[in-house]
Amino acid sequence: MAFVAVLIIFPVAWTGYLSLTDAEGSVRAESEFIGFQNYLDVLTDTDRFWPAVWRTVLFTGVVLFFEVILGMAIALLLWRPFRGEKWVRVAILLPLVATPVAVGMMWRLIFDPNIGMANQLLGWIGIGPQPWLAGQHSALPTTMFIDIWQWTPMVVLILLAGLTSLSDEPQEAARIDGASSWQRFRHVTLPLLMPTVIVAILLRGIDALKTFDILYATKGRGGGSFHEVETLNVYAYGLSFDYNDYGVSSTVLIIFFLIIIGVMWALTYRKKGLGR
């Protein structure tokens, strides 16, 4: 209990206290208690806060959708034994070995508009160079692609573990009854696997919500010159370490924390419903 209190309860409580003050400049500087004024200022900020909320939701929703779909497809392909399956599994899990910052820097070089490999490959098939991470409208989709590339293997790992734990008897019964592969997947495999799918969505969704390292490694401060990839995490980081506005940044983090708690509760409630 003491361990939990020190590592979780105290930081959250201290952040909550700072969100009710005008703390800025230095954490040791004197601050004044201002109540919920920071919350009013943040929730009425349509220039930075709400666009950051929208980017956070959009980023999480898109990457989660593709990671679950691709993860399910790859897990199904790896479900049955085949020649060289161990090497294929190792190759698929390789993106998880590197740290997100290293992955971000690697793809930043690949997507460089001038010397990047991506534009060279496009040139070979007659397509002009693209701005990728440098473009105001293409930066966010590009960072989504990077996140999908790195974290789809995690979903594959979870779903593959769930598939290997399923009994073969329902599959055999459906096959004897003449069900096609799609019918067996839709009516047998997917319902049995749904609790595992919810777990994968829960773990990966929370992680995607608080993505920071890939975004900061590829776009730097403020999520780019036009804040094109500025999510709530990037926004709060900038308020804290670029502007030293600890009161407002703590407010953003508390709101973000409540959003994550709400998502966790909804997915956990859904998982319990499927368990019944």
Side-chain angles (χ1 to χ4, degrees):
M1 292 299 295
F3 181 81
V4 172
V6 171
L7 292 185
I8 298 178
I9 298 177
F10 174 74
V12 173
W14 180 250
T15 304
Y17 167 74
L18 287 178
S19 70
L20 301 175
T21 69
D22 61 352
E24 60 180 353
S26 172
V27 292
R28 295 186 177 182
E30 294 185 3
S31 58
E32 181 180 351
F33 184 83
I34 59 175
F36 292 97
Q37 185 60 47
N38 286 332
Y39 289 89
L40 293 176
D41 294 340
V42 168
L43 293 175
T44 56
D45 179 12
T46 57
D47 293 330
R48 297 284 294 275
F49 176 75
W50 286 111
V53 171
W54 165 245
R55 293 188 201 98
T56 303
V57 173
L58 181 63
F59 181 91
T60 303
V62 171
V63 302
L64 194 57
F65 174 80
F66 282 102
E67 286 170 8
V68 171
I69 296 298
L70 293 174
M72 177 67 75
I74 297 173
L76 289 172
L77 291 174
L78 298 177
W79 186 16
R80 301 304 180 189
F82 60 91
R83 188 175 182 180
E85 62 172 319
K86 293 183 179 179
W87 297 105
V88 174
R89 291 186 181 187
V90 170
I92 289 176
L93 296 177
L94 279 178
L96 291 177
V97 176
T99 62
V101 172
V103 169
M105 296 303 296
M106 177 189 73
W107 282 103
R108 184 175 179 178
L109 291 174
I110 293 175
F111 286 128
D112 187 277
N114 300 314
I115 62 173
M117 185 186 301
N119 279 338
Q120 293 182 14
L121 293 176
L122 291 180
W124 292 346
I125 58 176
I127 301 178
Q130 303 297 318
W132 303 112
L133 290 168
Q136 183 176 351
H137 301 292
S138 61
L140 187 60
T142 304
T143 54
M144 291 177 183
F145 168 81
I146 297 173
D147 189 270
I148 293 169
W149 177 85
Q150 181 173 27
W151 293 109
T152 296
M154 174 183 173
V155 180
V156 173
L157 203 61
I158 297 172
L159 297 183
L160 188 58
L163 285 171
T164 54
S165 66
L166 297 181
S167 173
D168 291 333
E169 294 178 359
Q171 294 286 341
E172 290 297 331
R175 188 179 293 107
I176 293 173
D177 289 339
S180 64
S181 298
W182 168 250
Q183 289 173 330
R184 293 198 303 270
F185 169 74
R186 180 180 178 184
H187 299 290
V188 179
T189 305
L190 188 58
L192 293 174
L193 190 65
M194 189 54 66
T196 305
V197 174
I198 296 298
V199 170
I201 292 175
L202 178 65
L203 295 177
R204 186 63 203 118
I206 294 173
D207 203 31
L209 269 174
K210 53 189 183 67
T211 298
F212 172 80
D213 29 25
I214 286 179
L215 301 177
Y216 196 83
T218 53
K219 294 298 295 180
R221 293 182 177 180
S225 302
F226 299 96
H227 311 298
E228 53 265 31
V229 301
E230 185 181 64
T231 60
L232 283 175
N233 254 345
V234 178
Y235 179 45
Y237 178 89
L239 288 172
S240 296
F241 297 100
D242 294 337
Y243 301 105
N244 297 328
D245 197 344
Y246 302 112
V248 177
S249 66
S250 298
T251 303
V252 173
L253 289 174
I254 290 295
I255 295 174
F256 192 26
F257 177 74
L258 294 176
I259 292 174
I260 293 177
I261 292 296
V263 172
M264 288 178 59
W265 178 85
L267 290 175
T268 304
Y269 181 80
R270 174 63 176 166
K271 183 176 181 294
K272 288 182 178 179
L274 289 172
R276 297 191 190 100

